[in-house]
Amino acid sequence: MLNKVPEVTVWFWIIKVLCTTVGESFADWINMNLGVGLISTALIFTGALAAVLVWQLSAERYIPFVYWLTVVVVSVTGTLYTDILTDSQGVPLALSSSVFAGVLAVVFGVWYVRERTLSVHSITTRPRELFYWLAVLVTLPSVPPPETGPWS
């Protein structure tokens, strides 16, 4: 299996920020306009996330469209999870961010103990790719929704 993650350059971060912004905005738009409720919307996108992750994991090499689609869907799903925690369950963002930071530390710890590397240049095995996507997923629920940020 070839490396399944793009080279991390300034363009990677520009595209990543744009994908995350689009994902968060799309999640908020869907939640407000789809009319099925926050939980149902999150379930729909959890299914979509599972589908795109299967597609991404089945690819034998880095395919830009599949990779970045996965990033966008992870962003949408993570934003919906955050909205459920903060808006529906009343969990303070500081608390959920702290918990997810702890979960991320555990993911990195287990990843390193098992694989002896955290390098994105060595995402060449299925376990490393699974750890990579798990790390990406647990970072997104701690991103503040736009309505709670300093710009509101």
Side-chain angles (χ1 to χ4, degrees):
M1 175 186 300
L2 299 173
N3 191 1
K4 306 249 311 247
V5 177
E7 192 66 32
V8 180
T9 65
V10 69
W11 295 111
F12 171 89
W13 289 110
I14 290 170
I15 294 169
K16 169 73 171 98
V17 166
L18 291 173
C19 283
T20 301
T21 303
V22 166
E24 290 177 5
S25 299
F26 187 61
D28 289 339
W29 182 84
I30 292 268
N31 181 36
M32 298 298 171
N33 295 304
L34 199 57
V36 297
L38 185 57
I39 302 293
S40 295
T41 304
L43 289 173
I44 290 166
F45 276 92
T46 299
L49 175 60
V52 297
L53 274 173
V54 166
W55 191 11
Q56 169 65 27
L57 293 168
S58 68
E60 290 299 317
R61 60 183 175 78
Y62 168 66
I63 301 170
F65 176 78
V66 178
Y67 176 87
W68 291 109
L69 177 64
T70 305
V71 169
V72 169
V73 176
V74 165
S75 179
V76 169
T77 307
T79 299
L80 290 165
Y81 295 165
T82 302
D83 290 347
I84 289 169
L85 289 171
T86 57
D87 299 346
S88 296
Q89 304 301 313
V91 176
L93 192 58
L95 176 61
S96 64
S97 295
S98 298
V99 169
F100 281 108
V103 172
L104 181 61
V106 169
V107 169
F108 281 149
V110 172
W111 181 357
Y112 185 79
V113 166
R114 170 148 181 186
E115 299 295 320
R116 298 319 243 178
T117 183
L118 296 175
S119 173
V120 295
H121 301 291
S122 66
I123 307 296
T124 56
T125 66
R126 182 70 23 92
R128 288 178 185 177
E129 187 176 12
L130 289 169
F131 280 121
Y132 174 82
W133 287 110
L134 182 57
V136 170
L137 180 62
V138 299
T139 61
L140 285 167
S142 62
V143 174
E147 58 273 331
T148 62
W151 46 86
S152 58

